[in-house]
Amino acid sequence: MPSPLSVWNTAPTSGPAQRGDRYVTGSAAHPAKMLPAIAAHAITTYTRPGDLVLDPMCGIGTTLVEALRLGRHALGVEYEPRWAALARANIRHTPQTTGPGSTDVACGDARQLTDLIDQRHHGHVALVVTSPPYGSSVHGQVRSTRETGHRGVTKKDFRYSHDPSNLAHVSTDRLLHAFTEILTQCRHVLRPGGTVVVTTRPWRERGELIDLPSAVLAAGQAAGLTPAERNVALLAGIRDSRLIPRPSFFQMTNVRDARQRGIPLAVVQHEDVLVFTKPGPHTGSTGGATTHTRQGTTRTRWPLTTSAVRSRTCARRSRCGGR
């Protein structure tokens, strides 16, 4: 049976407009912030007030801020001290209606999540909302000649960190294996029947499509989670029944350059939203390469290597035999 699919209208306004003054100065420097509306929609859909929400790669704390604003408790883990400090500052900046409770940001490697989170929270997390790092082609901001006094534009705020151990800088193979470990850790702290929401998107690298959403789907199953939904969270607005794109400068530049080289690249207008659940005490686990269905058990090989998630695209239109 195919998973349910829905479209989340999560970009009625731009990211900066959604954040406004709700986030502290310096938050905009993070190169890959989740849209607040995406986190808020997930939290509203899959939790109730008073529930505990976790982001194991929380960045500046978008998931945590939106959880607190919606009357939930929130926990975060962030590898980079700079972003962890901003996440804590954003939490302090957010009005909390839940009273004293479970709100904290730990600085560390999410692959050791169960060690970083107090044991009293293990088995009580209702929802995990997170996103793995992916291609840098859509990240960063620009400074114009007017700002710098020099000709042309310069790129800024396009790196997660300068630490080579940060998962944003490792190979796709290593990223997938690490993310599987992180999802496994998340399963251990989730309550039975708890939900995991992962936002991601594909990107192109030297003309090849990196199908990260399908690889994350496989990683979730390898971590013992059950796929439940595959949704679309819009990054474009809707006006008069038409999409209003809001691509970054670098998205437009990369798309234009790729098309000139004959690569059929398009501006991405959505995030893939993969939804998993933790099996309850009376349901089967879908760990490894085994999928349980009502009709029986089906075994499938899941693509957890770079070669399996790459889709080769010819570099020149003349070699494609297309239009």
Side-chain angles (χ1 to χ4, degrees):
M1 296 287 293
S3 297
L5 174 67
S6 66
V7 177
W8 299 2
N9 183 14
T10 44
T13 57
S14 67
Q18 289 185 27
R19 294 183 189 94
D21 60 358
R22 294 164 53 177
Y23 291 76
V24 300
T25 302
S27 297
H30 193 282
K33 301 172 292 298
M34 182 180 292
L35 273 181
I38 293 179
H41 185 93
I43 292 162
T44 302
T45 302
Y46 302 107
T47 67
R48 296 179 179 179
D51 279 346
L52 179 58
V53 178
L54 165 70
D55 188 341
M57 306 173 77
C58 71
I60 62 167
T62 300
T63 296
L64 316 185
V65 168
E66 300 309 314
L68 295 175
R69 292 182 68 88
L70 290 166
R72 279 68 167 173
H73 301 291
L75 296 174
V77 172
E78 171 53 40
Y79 182 78
E80 292 294 332
R82 175 188 180 187
W83 307 129
L86 273 170
R88 295 188 191 105
N90 281 321
I91 287 174
R92 292 192 297 270
H93 185 67
T94 303
Q96 299 183 31
T97 60
T98 52
S102 310
T103 304
D104 191 22
V105 177
C107 187
D109 190 330
R111 286 172 287 189
Q112 283 79 53
L113 183 69
T114 53
D115 294 329
L116 294 168
I117 291 180
D118 194 297
Q119 284 195 347
R120 65 192 174 97
H121 301 311
H122 292 193
H124 296 285
V125 174
L127 173 66
V128 173
V129 181
T130 197
S131 179
Y134 42 84
S136 60
S137 62
V138 300
H139 299 330
Q141 302 177 44
V142 296
R143 300 179 68 191
S144 65
T145 300
R146 181 181 301 175
E147 295 174 283
T148 64
H150 303 288
R151 294 185 61 183
V153 296
T154 57
K155 192 171 185 177
K156 67 172 184 175
D157 298 334
F158 60 94
R159 296 180 66 91
Y160 290 84
S161 77
H162 294 279
D163 184 346
S165 298
N166 188 303
L167 295 181
H169 306 311
V170 303
S171 67
T172 306
D173 278 334
R174 288 182 60 193
L175 171 61
L176 293 177
H177 285 292
F179 198 60
T180 302
E181 293 180 63
I182 292 169
L183 292 179
T184 301
Q185 294 276 298
C186 290
R187 178 172 58 82
H188 289 311
V189 300
L190 275 170
R191 69 188 184 190
T195 304
V196 176
V197 173
V198 182
T199 66
T200 186
R201 69 175 80 166
W203 78 89
R204 289 193 183 271
E205 189 175 281
R206 294 186 291 275
E208 292 181 315
L209 181 68
I210 309 299
D211 186 8
L212 190 58
S214 293
V216 168
L217 180 63
Q221 290 215 326
L225 299 168
T226 303
E229 304 171 25
R230 185 165 183 169
N231 301 316
V232 166
L234 292 180
L235 301 174
I238 301 176
R239 187 180 305 158
D240 298 327
S241 300
R242 299 184 63 180
L243 290 179
I244 308 301
R246 296 193 183 93
S248 70
F249 172 86
F250 291 104
Q251 282 180 290
M252 293 298 295
T253 299
N254 289 329
V255 167
R256 188 180 298 112
D257 292 346
R259 288 182 174 179
Q260 289 177 351
R261 299 195 304 272
I263 299 173
L265 197 61
V267 173
V268 176
Q269 299 298 323
H270 73 277
E271 296 267 13
D272 283 63
V273 183
L274 306 177
V275 181
F276 305 89
T277 58
K278 176 179 177 176
H282 304 296
T283 60
S285 168
T286 57
T290 303
T291 306
H292 295 271
T293 67
R294 291 180 181 178
Q295 291 74 30
T297 299
T298 302
R299 296 190 177 276
T300 309
R301 293 181 62 193
W302 296 106
L304 289 174
T305 63
T306 307
S307 59
V309 299
R310 289 179 181 269
S311 176
R312 188 169 296 280
T313 301
C314 41
R316 300 285 182 183
R317 186 176 287 112
S318 60
R319 298 178 185 173
C320 297
R323 296 180 180 177

